[in-house]
Amino acid sequence: MSSEIEPRIYVSTISHYNSGSTAGAWVSLDEYPTAETFDAAARELHKEEHSPVLIFQDYQGIPGALCGTAGLDNRLWKWLALSEHDREVVDAWMRKIGGDTSILNIFASFLGRADSWEAYVDNHVQVSGMLSGASESLKTYFDYAEYGRELADNHTVAMTPSGVYVFEH
């Protein structure tokens, strides 16, 4: 997710929806540090209803897995507290794997990021030292593409517009 897109949600109610109305408003998540403060603000928007049942008709700047029409995932507020880099890691996981894995467990399985899969494989080979004892002439015979295919079979690889994110299975 890009920091250029403000994290926000379009909040309406079931009552408006059932009457054919799209009445509601965009609510910036940056203004509400907790689910409770957001909920209070969303309900204040619809104070004309006795007991509004909130629905979230659209969202921007947040992973789709964290916002459903009928409710918000409790991980949303943890995601909002993350740095831009960490938000991208979580978003890559959610797009590729999904599920209800905790943000802590997502980071526990995160192995790294690179601009491309080839760059990740090259860096992995260098950092692991797997060719450190080999002569320069022998290193030229190492098949990076084949090793990359094998590596990909044993990891979860999320290709995104901003790069490749790699996670343990």
Side-chain angles (χ1 to χ4, degrees):
M1 305 263 73
S2 171
S3 61
E4 297 172 11
I5 301 174
E6 173 189 18
R8 62 190 193 145
I9 297 174
Y10 191 85
V11 180
S12 187
T13 66
I14 286 288
S15 176
H16 287 298
Y17 179 80
N18 287 340
S19 68
S21 171
T22 59
W26 283 102
V27 178
S28 170
L29 297 176
D30 289 337
E31 297 175 26
Y32 304 99
T34 66
E36 293 76 21
T37 57
F38 172 81
D39 187 65
R43 290 185 183 289
E44 180 65 21
L45 282 172
H46 299 286
K47 63 185 174 190
E48 77 281 355
E49 293 184 33
H50 173 64
S51 184
V53 177
L54 301 175
I55 59 171
F56 308 109
Q57 294 181 313
D58 202 359
Y59 60 89
Q60 292 180 336
I62 63 172
L66 299 179
C67 181
T69 303
L72 303 176
D73 189 295
N74 62 4
R75 296 173 295 176
L76 176 59
W77 308 104
K78 291 179 177 121
W79 181 86
L80 287 166
L82 297 173
S83 69
E84 181 68 22
H85 171 270
D86 288 350
R87 284 180 179 185
E88 289 177 1
V89 171
V90 172
D91 188 44
W93 171 280
M94 290 181 176
R95 287 174 188 260
K96 180 68 178 186
I97 300 168
D100 59 358
T101 303
S102 74
I103 288 178
L104 184 62
N105 286 340
I106 291 171
F107 285 108
S109 70
F110 178 60
L111 297 174
R113 181 209 171 277
D115 291 334
S116 68
W117 178 242
E118 293 77 14
Y120 182 84
V121 171
D122 183 59
N123 184 62
H124 177 76
V125 169
Q126 302 310 315
V127 170
S128 71
M130 65 179 18
L131 297 177
S132 61
S135 67
E136 290 304 313
S137 61
L138 184 60
K139 287 179 184 178
T140 61
Y141 289 100
F142 185 76
D143 188 341
Y144 282 85
E146 180 58 34
Y147 181 71
R149 283 188 288 279
E150 187 176 312
L151 196 61
D153 286 343
N154 297 312
H155 295 83
T156 299
V157 180
M159 307 277 195
T160 73
S162 64
V164 174
Y165 295 81
V166 182
F167 302 90
E168 289 179 316
H169 280 306

